[in-house]
């Protein structure tokens, strides 16, 4: 009887922290004691581990067993420590060589019959383990496709405890992980389910959508029902390019922690689209949880689109909670157990009706809402929130003649996406050597120091500043949109045409 050590990973948000698992099997009153701030799910591991070992025909030590999870001050949550605890006990009992379990990381939940079940957050856990260099990570077979996405990590997939013990005893070649082809994000094949060509009419809104996609800007669409606001928002992701490898790993890690990663797509190569219902709580939007803090809609939409339909119907405190992540690109959730930070760099798309009865403004004879009611309804979208919206578009109902005339000018998502990709590549070339990838990410200090348009181009904006119709934050957003318009027009710098167009988008007078 002795002490054996191995390693596992604890998740704090989407960051993996190494946990050393020690097992001491020695003299004393028979029983198992788990120390190191375990939660309820982890405290129950003692019963799962014992049943899994006994049902796999391995002896359970009739001795005092102490399992320590270091660092002791770090709260440990979840059942992903089951496998590491079982391996540490087997090593301390002499069933497997202690030196064979010291270096690898073990992740997985044990079934009572010895099966190793899939767990959440394998990708960020393996990313946390990879910080130690060339490491070996043992994961459930069901999680192997997700684990092999991390480069320079040796992944050992196991289906049950007996298979793992036999490999540790004999030292044979380990099982090969499946789906190794997903080590790179798969390219999107085939036509998407939706296409921008489905939207007939609203040429100004379609143009605004292309500008948003090219620069990563936020958008507010105001108009009556049936004008295509939801259709336009749902087609915005079809204009965005595939995620780069580092962004794809970020997005996949967040969805893995949240437990919503599609089983047939271990790598998310496309920008996500999240559309919460207007009854969603602040915790659902921002993130939260009583014991385990989970990412909210703003983090699930990271590097993608967050669409809030019927925006004035959301509680005002929920809408105002978006202000901080819109500025910083991350959100910090504070609970009694501690604070967790999630990435939240998303494009916000708001859609709203002009009034509670949702009648078109050109049909005032059917609308019974007074001007006061309209102002109160749209007033739920606070000024500070709208000040963070780069572009505002008013949508009206199109006549039959306008629909027929516009049909021949409608472009497909593929056509617009090519222009968007060219504009993004132009911006990326300009921003090479910096940490920013799009115009919307450029901070204010750098924007005015290195990317300020000419005085002539700035003249329309300075006039609005003097008149009080444009705020300092609004000025930054107009300049960013102007750069995106210049990228779409293949210009080296925005001129007065681009700044005028960007200003009109910000004022909502398109």
């Amino acid at each position: 009887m002795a002490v054996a050590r191995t390693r596992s990973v604890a998740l704090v948000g989407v960051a993996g922290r190494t946990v050393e698992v020690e097992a001491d099997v020695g003299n004393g009153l028979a029983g198992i004691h788990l120390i190191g701030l375990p939660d309820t799910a982890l405290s129950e591991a003692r019963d799962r581990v014992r049943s899994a070992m006994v049902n796999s025909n391995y002896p359970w030590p009739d001795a005092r067993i102490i399992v320590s999870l270091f660092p002791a001050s770090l709260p440990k949550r979840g059942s992903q420590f089951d496998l590491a605890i079982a391996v540490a006990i087997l090593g301390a009992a002499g069933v497997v060589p202690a030196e064979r379990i010291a270096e690898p990381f073990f992740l997985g939940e044990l079934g009572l019959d010895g099966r190793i079940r899939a767990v959440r957050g394998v990708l960020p856990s393996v990313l946390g383990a990879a910080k130690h260099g060339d490491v070996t990570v043992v994961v459930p077979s069901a999680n192997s496709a997700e684990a092999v996405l991390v480069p320079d990590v040796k992944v050992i997939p196991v289906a049950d405890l007996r298979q793992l013990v036999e490999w540790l005893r004999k030292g044979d070649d380990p099982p090969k992980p499946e789906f190794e082809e997903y080590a790179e994000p798969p390219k999107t094949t085939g036509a998407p389910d939706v296409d921008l060509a489905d939207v007939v009419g609203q040429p100004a809104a379609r143009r605004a959508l292309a500008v948003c996609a090219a620069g990563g800007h936020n958008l507010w669409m105001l108009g009556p029902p049936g004008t295509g606001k939801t259709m336009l928002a749902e087609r915005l992701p079809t204009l965005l390019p595939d995620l780069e490898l580092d962004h794809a790993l970020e997005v996949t890690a967040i969805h893995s922690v949240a437990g919503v990663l599609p089983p047939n797509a271990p790598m998310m190569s496309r920008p996500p689209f999240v559309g919460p219902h207007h009854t969603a709580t602040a915790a659902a939007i921002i993130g939260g949880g009583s014991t385990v803090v989970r990412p909210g809609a703003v983090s699930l939409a990271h590097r993608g689109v967050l669409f809030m339909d019927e925006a004035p119907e959301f509680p005002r405190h929920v809408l105002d909670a978006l202000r901080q992540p819109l500025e910083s690109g991350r959100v910090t959730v504070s609970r009694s157990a501690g604070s967790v930070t999630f990435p939240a760099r998303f494009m916000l798309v708001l859609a709203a009706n002009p009034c509670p009865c949702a009648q078109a403004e050109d049909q005032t004879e059917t609308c019974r809402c007074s001007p006061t009611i309209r102002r109160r309804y749209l007033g739920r979208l606070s000024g500070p929130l709208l000040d963070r919206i780069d572009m505002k578009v008013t949508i009206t109902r199109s006549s039959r003649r306008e629909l027929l005339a516009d049909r021949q000018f409608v472009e497909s998502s593929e056509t617009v996406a090519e222009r968007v990709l060219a504009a993004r590549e132009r911006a990326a070339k300009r921003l090479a050597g910096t940490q920013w990838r799009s115009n919307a990410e450029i901070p204010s200090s750098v924007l005015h120091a290195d990317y300020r348009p000419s005085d002539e181009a700035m003249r329309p904006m300075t006039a609005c500043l003097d008149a009080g119709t444009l705020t300092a934050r609004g000025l930054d957003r107009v300049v960013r949109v102007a750069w995106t318009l210049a990228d779409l027009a293949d210009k080296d710098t925005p001129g007065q045409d681009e700044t005028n167009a960007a200003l009109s988008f910000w004022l909502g007078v398109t």
Side-chain angles (χ1 to χ4, degrees), residues 112-127:
L112 300 184
D113 57 354
R115 286 182 296 175
I116 301 176
R117 294 171 172 161
V119 292
R120 292 181 177 183
V122 165
L123 179 59
S125 297
V126 177
L127 285 170

Side-chain angles (χ1 to χ4, degrees), residues 11-15 120-121 124 250-261 274 276 281-302 306 330-333 335 340-345:
L11 285 177
V12 181
V14 291
R120 292 181 177 183
E250 283 181 350
V251 173
T252 305
I254 295 170
H255 284 71
S256 177
V257 169
V260 296
L261 189 65
V274 180
T281 63
I285 300 297
I286 301 301
S290 57
T291 55
V292 179
V293 179
R294 301 293 185 194
V298 296
S299 297
L300 293 176
H302 181 59
L306 176 65
R330 61 183 182 273
V331 60
T332 300
V333 182
R335 294 292 184 268
V340 177
T341 299
F342 294 106
R345 178 75 64 184

Side-chain angles (χ1 to χ4, degrees), residues 278-286 308 311-325 379-382 385:
H278 65 262
T279 58
T281 63
I285 300 297
I286 301 301
M308 306 188 77
E313 299 294 341
F314 282 83
R316 180 158 182 168
H317 72 279
V318 173
L319 293 171
D320 286 340
L322 298 173
R323 289 152 51 180
Q324 184 262 340
R380 298 176 186 176
L381 303 176
S382 66
L385 175 62

Side-chain angles (χ1 to χ4, degrees), residues 378-500:
L378 293 179
R380 298 176 186 176
L381 303 176
S382 66
L385 175 62
L386 294 181
D387 204 33
R388 289 166 169 82
I389 303 298
D390 306 69
M391 307 175 65
K392 307 174 182 69
V393 178
T394 300
I395 300 178
T396 59
R397 287 175 177 158
S398 302
S399 65
R400 181 176 63 88
R401 178 173 295 181
E402 291 172 336
L403 292 175
L404 293 175
D406 186 63
R407 191 175 296 275
Q408 58 182 325
F409 300 107
V410 173
E411 295 179 308
S412 66
S413 292
E414 183 179 2
T415 301
V416 179
E418 291 177 357
R419 294 202 305 270
V420 168
L421 180 60
R424 288 214 168 207
E425 289 176 346
R426 188 179 183 88
K429 183 178 181 181
R430 183 173 62 251
L431 298 172
T434 70
Q435 57 182 318
W436 311 297
R437 309 285 182 89
S438 63
N439 293 321
E441 298 178 19
I442 305 175
S444 176
S445 58
V446 178
L447 186 70
H448 291 286
D450 301 332
Y451 303 104
R452 185 180 178 87
S454 64
D455 292 341
E456 180 182 358
M458 290 288 293
R459 190 172 295 121
M461 291 178 282
T462 55
C464 290
L465 276 174
D466 294 338
T469 57
L470 184 65
T471 64
R473 183 186 290 115
L475 174 65
D476 295 343
R477 297 192 174 273
V478 171
V479 173
R480 295 185 185 108
V481 174
W483 272 107
T484 301
L485 290 168
D487 290 333
L488 286 169
D490 200 21
K491 293 184 177 180
D492 293 332
T493 184
Q496 199 168 68
D497 291 341
E498 285 73 34
T499 55
N500 274 325

Side-chain angles (χ1 to χ4, degrees), residues 354-359 364 366-375 377:
C355 63
C357 72
Q359 296 298 323
T364 53
T366 61
C367 178
R368 301 180 180 179
C369 298
S370 65
T372 302
I373 292 177
R374 289 189 175 211
R375 285 195 302 270
Y377 180 71

Side-chain angles (χ1 to χ4, degrees), residues 186 188 236-243 251 267-272 303:
T188 303
L236 178 55
T238 66
L239 309 183
L240 299 173
D242 287 346
L243 296 172
V251 173
M267 172 72 87
M268 295 188 62
S269 63
R270 292 293 303 157
R303 302 295 177 185

Side-chain angles (χ1 to χ4, degrees), residues 83-97:
L83 194 57
I85 293 172
V87 168
I89 294 174
L90 289 168
V95 179
V96 297

